[in-house]
Amino acid sequence: MTKIQGLLSTICLMAALATGCTKQMILPQASGRPYEVLVVLDTKTWEAPAGRALFDILDTDVPCLPQSERSFRISQAEPKHMDEALRMFRNIIQVNIDKRQYSQTRMRFTRDKYAIGQIVLNINSPSEEDFRRFCIEHKQEVVDFLTRTEMNRLIKELEKKYSKVTYDMAWQIFACKMYAPDELKSYKKGDHFLWTSNNTASGMENICMYSYFYEGPHTFNKQYMMHKRDSVMKANLPGEKPGMYMQTDTLCTLVKPIVVHGNFAMEARGLWYMKDDCMGGPFVSHSRIDTETNRVVVVEGFVYAPEKMKRGLIRRLEGSLYTLQLPQEQYSLIDTGVTEEKPEEEGQEKTTDKQ
């Protein structure tokens, strides 16, 4: 090899290495606590009806908790004050209002814009009034996007560190895969039933799994599901004294269809209490159909933490419910419901909004 050939090879190698540098080698790691959101919007608009409409979205209560707890921790910053520290936020909502650039209000998100592990939700609008109406009409979409984004982060963490006890028991009893928080190591087995828990006196987190035969569409109505839940819990999780057992507060229960791994599921969330005892707290469950065995598989998280706020605890368990994989099921993260904007599309956004 000649000197010129050697020099060219070295240059090519250096270029390849430079091209191969990923964002992980350039950008810092995003910081902040789960469900913490930074809104980038000028203070005048933030305090006007348009900004209050966005604030009202983020300030909503988490449903079906025994006490009022806000969905998100909110911060706001002027665009001109966005320094390196603020760019590290894990969740950023960037609001741009300009009638010269945008003809309609649109919502898109970008990954890792300023930091690794970060999500930036861009909401572009031609006017404050259009933005205000958009917030009112798309309230749940914004809440769901931010919540599912955080749960996807949790799911990725659970894939690396999870309770082997829960995983092994779920496979042994139900032939299903399940990633639960690592500290859930206490367990109890029953007839088509599994309970795992961190079994602590403070902030007790629990996951239950059980199954029963699918009997048709009525299997997924609220009354049927809650009747099954009560009968299973009564048989498997009795209280300290005879006559004490777990029941569902049906007046505070919300049931709705969702999608998990591309398949139908029914979500239920609400409050539970121990009959003739003072225990209680929130729960959330997913009911799934295993078509191969014609059974319904239910996975549920519930919390007992009378001395603590429960938003973080129940959402942590809820995120783990999405990791349940039925036999022959293909794994996927939660669909956030918002279109992702690729980096190469950012420069085209202003023109495409005009179409």
Short mmCIF file of all heavy atoms in Angstrom, two decimals, residues 282-307:
data_model
loop_
_atom_site.label_atom_id
_atom_site.label_comp_id
_atom_site.label_asym_id
_atom_site.label_seq_id
_atom_site.Cartn_x
_atom_site.Cartn_y
_atom_site.Cartn_z
N PRO A 282 -56.47 2.70 45.24
CA PRO A 282 -56.79 2.63 43.81
C PRO A 282 -56.33 1.33 43.16
O PRO A 282 -55.42 0.67 43.65
CB PRO A 282 -56.01 3.82 43.24
CG PRO A 282 -54.79 3.90 44.12
CD PRO A 282 -55.25 3.50 45.50
N PHE A 283 -56.98 0.98 42.04
CA PHE A 283 -56.53 -0.17 41.25
C PHE A 283 -56.72 0.17 39.77
O PHE A 283 -57.50 1.06 39.39
CB PHE A 283 -57.32 -1.44 41.60
CG PHE A 283 -58.70 -1.50 40.99
CD1 PHE A 283 -58.92 -2.06 39.73
CD2 PHE A 283 -59.80 -0.97 41.67
CE1 PHE A 283 -60.18 -2.10 39.17
CE2 PHE A 283 -61.07 -1.01 41.12
CZ PHE A 283 -61.27 -1.58 39.87
N VAL A 284 -56.00 -0.55 38.93
CA VAL A 284 -56.18 -0.48 37.48
C VAL A 284 -55.92 -1.87 36.92
O VAL A 284 -55.02 -2.58 37.39
CB VAL A 284 -55.25 0.57 36.82
CG1 VAL A 284 -53.79 0.27 37.09
CG2 VAL A 284 -55.51 0.67 35.32
N SER A 285 -56.74 -2.30 35.95
CA SER A 285 -56.59 -3.65 35.41
C SER A 285 -56.75 -3.66 33.90
O SER A 285 -57.39 -2.78 33.32
CB SER A 285 -57.61 -4.59 36.05
OG SER A 285 -58.92 -4.31 35.59
N HIS A 286 -56.15 -4.68 33.28
CA HIS A 286 -56.34 -4.98 31.86
C HIS A 286 -56.91 -6.38 31.74
O HIS A 286 -56.36 -7.33 32.32
CB HIS A 286 -55.00 -4.93 31.10
CG HIS A 286 -54.43 -3.57 30.95
ND1 HIS A 286 -53.20 -3.34 30.35
CD2 HIS A 286 -54.90 -2.34 31.31
CE1 HIS A 286 -52.95 -2.03 30.36
NE2 HIS A 286 -53.96 -1.42 30.93
N SER A 287 -57.99 -6.52 31.00
CA SER A 287 -58.57 -7.83 30.71
C SER A 287 -58.31 -8.14 29.24
O SER A 287 -58.69 -7.37 28.35
CB SER A 287 -60.08 -7.83 30.99
OG SER A 287 -60.34 -7.60 32.35
N ARG A 288 -57.67 -9.27 29.00
CA ARG A 288 -57.22 -9.63 27.65
C ARG A 288 -57.82 -10.98 27.23
O ARG A 288 -58.13 -11.81 28.09
CB ARG A 288 -55.70 -9.75 27.63
CG ARG A 288 -54.93 -8.62 28.33
CD ARG A 288 -54.74 -7.43 27.43
NE ARG A 288 -54.20 -7.83 26.17
CZ ARG A 288 -52.89 -8.13 25.98
NH1 ARG A 288 -52.04 -8.02 26.98
NH2 ARG A 288 -52.45 -8.48 24.79
N ILE A 289 -57.94 -11.21 25.94
CA ILE A 289 -58.46 -12.49 25.42
C ILE A 289 -57.30 -13.32 24.87
O ILE A 289 -56.59 -12.88 23.96
CB ILE A 289 -59.49 -12.28 24.31
CG1 ILE A 289 -60.65 -11.42 24.79
CG2 ILE A 289 -60.01 -13.63 23.83
CD1 ILE A 289 -61.66 -11.11 23.70
N ASP A 290 -57.14 -14.51 25.42
CA ASP A 290 -56.22 -15.49 24.85
C ASP A 290 -57.04 -16.41 23.95
O ASP A 290 -57.74 -17.31 24.41
CB ASP A 290 -55.55 -16.28 25.97
CG ASP A 290 -54.56 -17.32 25.43
OD1 ASP A 290 -54.43 -17.43 24.19
OD2 ASP A 290 -53.94 -18.01 26.24
N THR A 291 -57.00 -16.13 22.66
CA THR A 291 -57.86 -16.85 21.71
C THR A 291 -57.48 -18.32 21.58
O THR A 291 -58.33 -19.15 21.22
CB THR A 291 -57.79 -16.19 20.32
OG1 THR A 291 -56.42 -16.12 19.90
CG2 THR A 291 -58.37 -14.79 20.37
N GLU A 292 -56.24 -18.68 21.88
CA GLU A 292 -55.82 -20.08 21.74
C GLU A 292 -56.47 -20.97 22.79
O GLU A 292 -56.74 -22.15 22.54
CB GLU A 292 -54.29 -20.18 21.84
CG GLU A 292 -53.56 -19.55 20.66
CD GLU A 292 -52.09 -19.92 20.65
OE1 GLU A 292 -51.63 -20.55 21.63
OE2 GLU A 292 -51.40 -19.60 19.67
N THR A 293 -56.69 -20.44 23.97
CA THR A 293 -57.27 -21.24 25.05
C THR A 293 -58.68 -20.79 25.42
O THR A 293 -59.28 -21.33 26.35
CB THR A 293 -56.38 -21.17 26.31
OG1 THR A 293 -56.26 -19.79 26.71
CG2 THR A 293 -55.00 -21.73 26.03
N ASN A 294 -59.20 -19.78 24.69
CA ASN A 294 -60.55 -19.25 24.95
C ASN A 294 -60.71 -18.81 26.41
O ASN A 294 -61.68 -19.13 27.07
CB ASN A 294 -61.62 -20.28 24.60
CG ASN A 294 -63.00 -19.64 24.48
OD1 ASN A 294 -63.15 -18.56 23.91
ND2 ASN A 294 -64.01 -20.28 25.04
N ARG A 295 -59.73 -18.08 26.88
CA ARG A 295 -59.78 -17.60 28.26
C ARG A 295 -59.55 -16.10 28.30
O ARG A 295 -58.94 -15.51 27.39
CB ARG A 295 -58.73 -18.29 29.13
CG ARG A 295 -57.31 -18.04 28.65
CD ARG A 295 -56.26 -18.65 29.54
NE ARG A 295 -54.93 -18.42 28.95
CZ ARG A 295 -53.79 -18.57 29.61
NH1 ARG A 295 -53.80 -18.94 30.87
NH2 ARG A 295 -52.64 -18.35 29.01
N VAL A 296 -60.02 -15.48 29.35
CA VAL A 296 -59.73 -14.08 29.64
C VAL A 296 -58.61 -14.06 30.68
O VAL A 296 -58.71 -14.72 31.72
CB VAL A 296 -60.97 -13.35 30.19
CG1 VAL A 296 -60.61 -11.91 30.58
CG2 VAL A 296 -62.10 -13.36 29.17
N VAL A 297 -57.56 -13.34 30.38
CA VAL A 297 -56.45 -13.17 31.32
C VAL A 297 -56.50 -11.74 31.84
O VAL A 297 -56.48 -10.79 31.06
CB VAL A 297 -55.09 -13.46 30.67
CG1 VAL A 297 -53.95 -13.22 31.67
CG2 VAL A 297 -55.04 -14.89 30.14
N VAL A 298 -56.59 -11.61 33.15
CA VAL A 298 -56.66 -10.29 33.79
C VAL A 298 -55.37 -10.04 34.55
O VAL A 298 -54.90 -10.91 35.30
CB VAL A 298 -57.85 -10.19 34.76
CG1 VAL A 298 -57.91 -8.80 35.39
CG2 VAL A 298 -59.15 -10.52 34.05
N VAL A 299 -54.80 -8.87 34.36
CA VAL A 299 -53.64 -8.45 35.14
C VAL A 299 -53.99 -7.11 35.77
O VAL A 299 -54.52 -6.23 35.11
CB VAL A 299 -52.36 -8.38 34.28
CG1 VAL A 299 -52.51 -7.38 33.13
CG2 VAL A 299 -51.16 -8.01 35.13
N GLU A 300 -53.74 -6.99 37.07
CA GLU A 300 -54.18 -5.81 37.82
C GLU A 300 -53.10 -5.32 38.76
O GLU A 300 -52.37 -6.12 39.37
CB GLU A 300 -55.43 -6.16 38.63
CG GLU A 300 -55.85 -5.07 39.62
CD GLU A 300 -57.04 -5.45 40.48
OE1 GLU A 300 -57.99 -6.05 39.92
OE2 GLU A 300 -57.03 -5.13 41.68
N GLY A 301 -53.00 -4.00 38.88
CA GLY A 301 -52.15 -3.41 39.89
C GLY A 301 -53.01 -2.66 40.89
O GLY A 301 -53.95 -1.98 40.51
N PHE A 302 -52.71 -2.83 42.18
CA PHE A 302 -53.43 -2.06 43.18
C PHE A 302 -52.47 -1.62 44.28
O PHE A 302 -51.44 -2.25 44.54
CB PHE A 302 -54.64 -2.81 43.73
CG PHE A 302 -54.33 -4.02 44.58
CD1 PHE A 302 -54.18 -3.90 45.96
CD2 PHE A 302 -54.21 -5.28 44.01
CE1 PHE A 302 -53.93 -5.02 46.75
CE2 PHE A 302 -53.95 -6.40 44.78
CZ PHE A 302 -53.81 -6.27 46.16
N VAL A 303 -52.83 -0.52 44.92
CA VAL A 303 -51.93 0.15 45.87
C VAL A 303 -52.64 0.32 47.22
O VAL A 303 -53.84 0.60 47.28
CB VAL A 303 -51.51 1.54 45.33
CG1 VAL A 303 -50.83 2.38 46.40
CG2 VAL A 303 -50.61 1.38 44.11
N TYR A 304 -51.86 0.13 48.28
CA TYR A 304 -52.32 0.51 49.62
C TYR A 304 -51.24 1.40 50.24
O TYR A 304 -50.15 0.94 50.58
CB TYR A 304 -52.55 -0.71 50.50
CG TYR A 304 -52.93 -0.34 51.93
CD1 TYR A 304 -54.12 0.34 52.18
CD2 TYR A 304 -52.10 -0.66 53.00
CE1 TYR A 304 -54.48 0.70 53.47
CE2 TYR A 304 -52.46 -0.30 54.29
CZ TYR A 304 -53.65 0.37 54.53
OH TYR A 304 -53.99 0.73 55.81
N ALA A 305 -51.53 2.69 50.30
CA ALA A 305 -50.55 3.66 50.80
C ALA A 305 -51.28 4.84 51.43
O ALA A 305 -51.29 5.95 50.88
CB ALA A 305 -49.64 4.13 49.66
N PRO A 306 -51.92 4.63 52.59
CA PRO A 306 -52.74 5.70 53.18
C PRO A 306 -51.96 6.95 53.56
O PRO A 306 -52.53 8.03 53.62
CB PRO A 306 -53.33 5.02 54.43
CG PRO A 306 -52.39 3.90 54.74
CD PRO A 306 -51.90 3.41 53.41
N GLU A 307 -50.66 6.80 53.75
CA GLU A 307 -49.85 7.95 54.18
C GLU A 307 -49.14 8.64 53.02
O GLU A 307 -48.39 9.59 53.23
CB GLU A 307 -48.80 7.47 55.21
CG GLU A 307 -47.61 6.72 54.63
CD GLU A 307 -47.92 5.33 54.06
OE1 GLU A 307 -49.06 4.86 54.19
OE2 GLU A 307 -47.00 4.72 53.49
#
